[in-house]
C-alpha cells in the first residue's frame, strides 16, 4: 500500500503543512496541492459541498505527492466510510467531546476487528494499491478535533483511545467556548489551552495538528513543535491576496 | 449584519409569504425569489438534492430581497451548520417530536454558549456582513416542524424551548398521523389541531408558519393570522400551470 | 426503432403540444413531461446549460410517453450530433436564414449518404432500439427556425430543402426583426407573416411549429392549424403561477 | 401504483438479478439497466456520490423495466426518505445489527401508522402513479443487510421485524467479521453462515438477497435458491473486461 | 435597466479593476466579487468550464455590486447569447483579428436591427430589470481582444467598428506573437505595442482594458491611463499566497 | 515538461493501447486508466458531456501513468484550447476532410508561430511542468480522423500537413461512407481502405491509430502494425460483461 507520508514526517518529528480547501472545486484542490504543502485537507464540515464534489478533489490531489486528507462533516460512519473509500488517507473529525466519541470515530475508520468500517474501497485500491485492505488500518490517519470545553476537559481520555493517531485543535471554536472572540489567536488563555493539549499528547505519544488563523499563529505553532499546521484556508488565501492587489491599485 | 426581514415582518404582525424550491436548480430559485415572496425556502428534506445544489440556490436568492431559508433533511448539526455557513437566514427542521429534539435543533443553530454551532461561516460573512458572528444567534430564524402525533402532544414543551423562534406546521404529515388523507386540508380535525398550535404559540410569544396545500388553505391560514404561509411548492406551481395550459389547448 | 409519436400526430393532422424546459434540471423536465404534453423540448439556445445537463433531462423525459426534442444553441454538427446521440428525437435549429443553412442543418441530423452525422449513438440505441441506425434518418425530426427577415425572405427555399421536416417559427425574434416589440404577438404584421409561412409550408408538404408567447396566441395558432404549438416556457409557467399565488395572498 | 416486479418474481420463486452501480453516472445506470437485469441498485454506501447524482440515475433506470433499488449510506430516515421520494422502489440498508436497527429501518420506509416516513414523494408520484401514497407501504421493498457478527447473531430477531421484507447478505464484510479475507467467497464457514441465514429466512417467510463477489459464487447462490443475486459491481465489470482486452492485445 | 457601473467609471475616466475567475466555482466567484473589484470576469476561454458552471458564478456575482463580465471561449453567437441571457453585463471576446471579426462579435451582442442576438434573456430580466430589452444594446459592454499580430495590425479598423465599446489587450499572446516570452511584460516592444493601442483607442473614443501579468505591470497600466485593469487570475492569487505561506513556514 | 509516453512508444514501434471513456464520470476514467492501457481517451464527440465533466476525468487519469488524450467534438480552436489547457496530452479531431481542415486543426494545437493556440495553460503547468510553454508544441499529439469519403480521398494531402503527428481511423463512419454497415469491420473494402491509409502514413512518416469495434479487429490491427489501437469503448465493456453475467445466470 502507498505509504502515508504524513506518518513518516510525524515519525521524523518534522513539521507537516496542510493546505485547506473549503470551496468544492477540483482544479482549486489541484492548484493548492501544487503549492508545496505536504497534505491537502478537503473540508466537508464548513465547506458547502458533499462527497459528489469531494471525489474529484481527492482524485486531483492524488495526482500530486500531497497526502489527501478530509475533514468530515460529523462523526458519522456512513460519511467517513465514503470518504475513505474515495481515497482519503486521513480523517479529521470535528467535535470529539468524549472518549466515547473518539472510540466511535476510530471504529468508523478501521476494518474489523478493530472497527466497523464496511468493505468496498473502490478508490482505496486505485490510490493505495491492491493490498489496501491489509494495511489500511495502519496507514490511514485519525485525528480527533478538540474544540469544545467538554472535549478539552476530556482530552486525556480522548487521547488514550487506542489507535487514535492524535488530535487536531480548532482554535476558533475553542476560543469561543473559552468566552473569547473566534479570532483571539493571541490570547493567553487560548495559548495555554493549546500548550496543555500539546503536552498531554506528547506524554501519551500522540500527534497534534492545528488550524492557524494567522501566519503569526502558524509560526508560533511551528515554534512549539506542532506536528501538523494548517496555515489558513483557500478562502483566506484568495481574500488576502485579492485585498492586497485591489488596495495596491486604488 | 444584514437584517432578517422575516423578523421585521413577524414583529409587525404582517403576513410573510415564502416560495418553496424542491428542485435543485439555481435559476429556478432565482425566478421564484423574483415572484414577490418575502422569503424562499430551499427544501432539502423532500427535495432530491444536497448542499452541492443548495449553495448556488442560496447564492441566487441572495441577489434578491427575499430571505433565504432552508428546510434541512433531518435534525443534524452537521447538515444544519453547513446550510447556515452557506448563508441560510433561517432553518425549518422537520420531525421535532419532543422538547429534547427542539433543544438539539436550537443548539445546532446557535454559537456557544447558547449552542454548539461550529465556527466557519464562509458565506455567512459574504451575505450577512463582517459582524456576522456577533449577531448570528439573534438574526437567524429557527422553526421546528410539528407534524407527528408525538410532536403535537409535546407542542407546548417544544414551544417553550428557549431561543426557538417558533414552529412550522406540516399539514400533510399531521393529517396522516391523525388518520386522514395527506391532502385532507379542509378536515375539521386537522384545522382544529392547527388552531390549537397557533393558540399555543400566541400564548407563548412564538411565531407560526405553515405549508398550505391549496390556495384555499393558504387564504384560510392568512385569515387566522399565521405569521408565515407557504402557498405550495415549485412542482405544484409547474404542474398547476402546465395542466391549465395543456387542457386549454386540447 | 421506437416510433416518433410527433410524426404520427403530424400525419394525422392532430395538434401536437410541446412543453419547454429552459432551466437545466432533470426533475423539472420529468415533471413537465408528465403534464400531458406530446413532447418536451430541452432548450439549449436560451437555456443556460449544456449537454451535461441536457443528458439527464432527456433521460427523464424518456421515462414518459412525451417525445424528447431539443433546441440546439447553434447550427453546429458537433453539438447536434451529441444531442442526437443522447437520445433526442428531434432538433429545432435556431437562426436558419438561407437554404444553405437549412441544408447544413439537415446534413448534421442525417447519417451518410444523406448527411454527415457521425456514428456512435450511445443513448440512441437505449431509447430508440437496436435498429436505431437503420431508421434514424427517417425517424428523427428536423425543424428549422424562421426568425429573421432573411430567413423569412428565404422561407420557400428553406422549406424546399430535401428531408427537412418543417419549420419552427420564433415569433419574438421575428417581431423584433419586423420592427415590433418582442411580445407583439397580436400585431397584424407578425400574424400575416405567420400565415404566410404556414401557407408556404402547407403548399410544400412540410410541418410548422411555433412558440406561443401567450395562451391567446396559442389558441390562435391552434385555430389556424399549426402542427406543433409550444404554449410558453417553464419559466413563464413558474412566474405566472407564482405571481397569481402571491397576489392572491397580499 | 406501478407494481414492484421484484415482489412478483419473489412470489413466483424466480431468481431475480440486480445490476449494481457504484459510479455516479446516469448514462452508466441506464446502460446497466439495459443489460437484462431485473433490477438495478444505486449504491450510495460505497459509491462516492450522494442524492444529487442518485436522482438522475434513478430517472434513467425508470426509463427501463428494471426495478430501481438503492443501497443507502446508513440507517438514516433523512436519507432514506429522500431516496424513496426520488423514486426508489426498494432500499437495501447496511449494517443492521439488531432488531431495533431493523425496526428503525422499516419505520423509515413506511408512512404512518406503520412508520415515520415523511410525506412529499415528488418522483414517487411520477414513477409510481397518483395512488402512490395508498400503496407505497405495500410496494416498496425493505432489505436489511446482515454483514456483522452481531447482525448474524441477531438474524432471527431481525427477520421477525414486522413488514421487513427480507435480508441482504454482505459476504465480504461478513467474511471479515468471521476472520476471513474479504474475498473468501468459497470458504466453508462463510457458506455455512449463508446457508443458515437462508434457512432462517425461509422458515420465517422472508426474502434473501446477496452480493456475489465472483460468478462462481453467483452460480452457487442461484443453486441454493437465493431470491436476489447481484453478480458484481459496475467497477468489477469494467475491470474484468478491461483486463481481458488489454491482456489479449499485449 | 440596472446601470452598468463600468460605463459610469469609464465615462468618469476612473480606473476600473476586474477580478478574474478561471476555476468554475460559484463560491469562489462570490469571494472574489467581495474583494473590492469593480467587476468580476468569468473566463470561459482558458477556464475549464462551460455555461453550466458560469450560470451560478454569474448569479453569485450578482449578489454584489461588482459588474458581471465574461470572456467567451470563441467568437460564437450561440455561446455569447447564452452568456448574455445568463446575465453577463459585458463580453470580452478573444482573438479578434479583423474588422469583420469585430463586426461579427458586435452583432452577436446586440439585438436587431444592430445585430442578430436572439431574444430570450431569462436572467437578463432578473438581473437587469423588466426593461432589459429596451436598454440592453446600450448597456452591455463589448470588448474585442487584440492579441495577435493580425489583430494588432488591424487595430484601427477594429476600433472603428460601430458600437464596439473598446478593446482588451491580451499581453501574453501578443508577446508570443511578437516573438517574446509569454511573461515578457516589461519588454519594451510589448509596451510600445500597448501604448500604440491605447493611443489609437483614445483617438477613436474607445475604451481599453488589459490583463496584467504582474502587480508591477498593473501599476504601470494604471499609470498610463488604462480604463480597465485585471491584476491577475484567481489561480495566480491562490498560488502567490500559497507559496508565500508555505515558504514562510519551511 | 513531462514526456508524452505515446511518442516514446510510437518511436519504438511498440503498439500503444488506449482506453476510451464516453460516459462523463471521473471515477470511471480512473478505473479505466488503471486497466493497463497506455493512454485513455476522453471522448467529447460521442460522449454526452462537455469540458465541465472532462476536467475531473483528465485529472483522474493524471494520477496514473496513462497518457490523457481527448477526442474533441469538432474542429474548433475554442474547444481544443480548453481541453489542452485542462491537461490533455493529445487531441483526436473528428471529421478532417481536407488538408485545410488538418492545417486548421494543427494550428489550434500549437502556439505561435506554428499556430494560433491562445496562452493560459492552467492545468498544462500542473500536469506538464513549469516549462510547458517551451515544449508543448513538440509534446502534444495531433491525430486527424479520417472517416469520410472526402477525407479518405484527401488522405495523402492531410498526412502531409506539417506538424500533424498522424491520423486516427474511424472505421464505422468510414464503413458507412463506403456504403457498408457501421459494424462491417471484416469487410474487405473497409480493410483495404485501412491498409491503404496505413501505407500512406508509413510512406510519409506519420502515425496511425484506429478504433477497433471488436477484439478480432483489434488483433488484426495489431497484426498489421497500427501504432495505436482502441479496443472498444467503456460502454461496450460494460455491455459485454453485463450480458455475459446475466446470461450465465438465466
Amino acid at each position: 500500500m502507498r505509504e502515508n507520508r504524513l506518518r513518516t514526517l510525524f515519525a521524523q518529528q518534522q513539521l507537516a503543512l496542510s493546505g485547506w480547501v473549503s470551496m468544492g472545486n477540483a482544479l482549486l484542490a489541484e492548484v493548492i496541492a501544487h503549492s508545496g504543502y505536504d497534505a491537502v485537507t478537503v473540508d466537508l464540515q464548513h465547506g458547502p459541498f458533499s462527497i459528489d464534489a469531494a471525489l474529484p478533489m481527492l482524485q486531483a490531489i492524488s495526482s500530486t505527492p500531497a497526502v489527501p486528507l478530509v475533514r468530515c462533516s460529523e462523526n458519522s460512519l456512513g460519511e467517513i466510510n465514503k470518504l475513505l473509500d474515495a481515497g482519503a488517507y486521513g480523517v479529521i473529525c470535528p467535535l470529539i467531546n468524549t472518549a466515547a466519541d473518539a472510540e466511535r470515530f476510530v471504529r468508523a475508520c478501521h476494518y474489523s476487528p478493530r472497527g466497523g468500517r464496511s468493505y468496498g474501497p473502490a478508490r482505496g485500491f486505485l490510490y493505495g494499491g491492491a493490498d489496501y485492505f491489509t494495511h489500511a488500518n495502519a496507514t490511514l490517519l485519525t485525528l480527533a478535533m478538540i474544540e469544545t470545553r467538554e472535549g478539552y476537559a476530556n482530552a486525556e481520555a480522548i487521547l488514550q483511545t487506542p489507535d487514535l493517531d492524535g488530535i487536531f485543535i480548532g482554535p476558533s471554536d475553542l476560543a469561543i467556548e473559552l468566552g473569547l472572540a473566534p479570532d483571539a489567536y493571541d490570547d493567553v488563555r487560548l495559548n495555554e489551552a493549546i500548550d496543555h493539549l500539546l503536552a498531554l499528547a506528547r506524554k501519551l505519544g500522540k500527534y497534534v495538528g492545528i488550524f492557524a488563523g494567522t501566519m503569526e499563529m502558524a509560526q508560533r505553532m511551528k515554534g512549539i513543535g506542532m506536528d501538523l499546521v494548517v496555515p489558513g484556508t483557500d478562502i483566506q488565501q484568495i481574500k488576502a491576496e485579492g485585498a492586497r492587489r485591489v488596495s495596491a491599485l486604488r
Side-chain angles (χ1 to χ4, degrees), chain A residues 1-2 89 119 121-136:
Chain A
M1 186 173 174
R2 185 195 294 243
Y89 248 44
Y119 181 80
R123 268 206 86 240
F125 290 131
L126 302 181
Y127 180 69
D131 56 346
Y132 180 90
F133 173 71
T134 311
H135 300 294

Side-chain angles (χ1 to χ4, degrees), chain A residues 52-71:
Chain A
D52 300 87
L55 170 69
M57 295 165 81
L58 290 168
Q59 291 177 300
I61 297 165
S62 300
S63 68
T64 77
V67 178
L69 301 180
V70 293
R71 180 163 69 176

Side-chain angles (χ1 to χ4, degrees), chain A residues 5-6 36 78 108 142 169 176 186 192 207 240:
Chain A
R5 269 193 357 107
L6 284 185
T142 49
I169 303 172
I176 295 171
D186 299 336
E192 285 174 357
Y207 305 123

Side-chain angles (χ1 to χ4, degrees), chain A residues 19-21 27-37 39-40 233-234 237:
Chain A
W20 196 264
V21 196
L27 181 52
L28 174 62
E30 192 177 1
V31 168
I32 289 177
H34 276 270
S35 301
Y37 292 110
V40 176
T233 69
D234 52 346
Q237 285 192 29

Side-chain angles (χ1 to χ4, degrees), chain A residues 15-226:
Chain A
L15 173 66
L17 297 176
S18 176
W20 196 264
V21 196
S22 60
M23 297 186 284
N25 184 269
L27 181 52
L28 174 62
E30 192 177 1
V31 168
I32 289 177
H34 276 270
S35 301
Y37 292 110
D38 304 299
V40 176
T41 306
V42 175
D43 179 16
L44 287 101
Q45 185 194 18
H46 290 295
F49 55 86
S50 72
I51 183 71
D52 300 87
L55 170 69
M57 295 165 81
L58 290 168
Q59 291 177 300
I61 297 165
S62 300
S63 68
T64 77
V67 178
L69 301 180
V70 293
R71 180 163 69 176
C72 54
S73 72
E74 56 189 356
N75 192 355
S76 145
L77 183 140
E79 187 189 54
I80 289 171
N81 278 210
K82 289 177 86 148
L83 293 168
L84 292 176
D85 288 350
Y89 248 44
V91 181
I92 298 170
C93 185
L95 297 169
I96 300 295
N97 294 328
T98 64
D101 287 349
E103 172 63 19
R104 188 176 168 213
F105 165 49
V106 169
R107 283 186 50 78
C109 297
H110 288 76
Y111 288 117
S112 177
R114 177 59 188 98
R117 181 181 173 191
S118 181
Y119 181 80
R123 268 206 86 240
F125 290 131
L126 302 181
Y127 180 69
D131 56 346
Y132 180 90
F133 173 71
T134 311
H135 300 294
N137 282 8
T139 302
L140 309 178
L141 271 173
T142 49
L143 297 174
M145 285 196 75
I146 304 294
E147 49 184 338
T148 63
R149 276 184 306 269
E150 191 183 4
Y152 183 73
N154 293 325
E156 186 151 10
I158 289 169
L159 277 160
Q160 287 172 323
T161 308
D163 299 306
L164 180 75
D165 291 304
I167 57 174
F168 187 89
I169 303 172
S172 292
D173 275 313
L174 193 53
I176 295 171
E177 291 261 322
L178 295 172
L180 307 170
D183 60 351
Y185 303 121
D186 299 336
D187 190 278
V188 66
R189 290 174 58 203
L190 177 64
N191 281 277
E192 285 174 357
I194 292 170
D195 289 341
H196 172 66
L197 290 169
L198 183 58
L200 269 183
R202 285 290 169 264
K203 188 180 73 175
L204 296 163
K206 300 292 174 101
Y207 305 123
V208 188
I210 193 162
F211 181 90
T214 62
M215 283 303 289
E216 293 67 35
M217 180 181 178
Q219 293 287 7
R220 200 161 59 235
M221 294 303 105
K222 177 187 177 185
I224 63 174
M226 281 285 165

Side-chain angles (χ1 to χ4, degrees), chain A residues 3-14 207:
Chain A
E3 74 159 340
N4 191 328
R5 269 193 357 107
L6 284 185
R7 287 196 177 279
T8 313
L9 289 171
F10 289 172
Q12 297 169 342
Q13 296 181 302
Q14 289 188 40
Y207 305 123

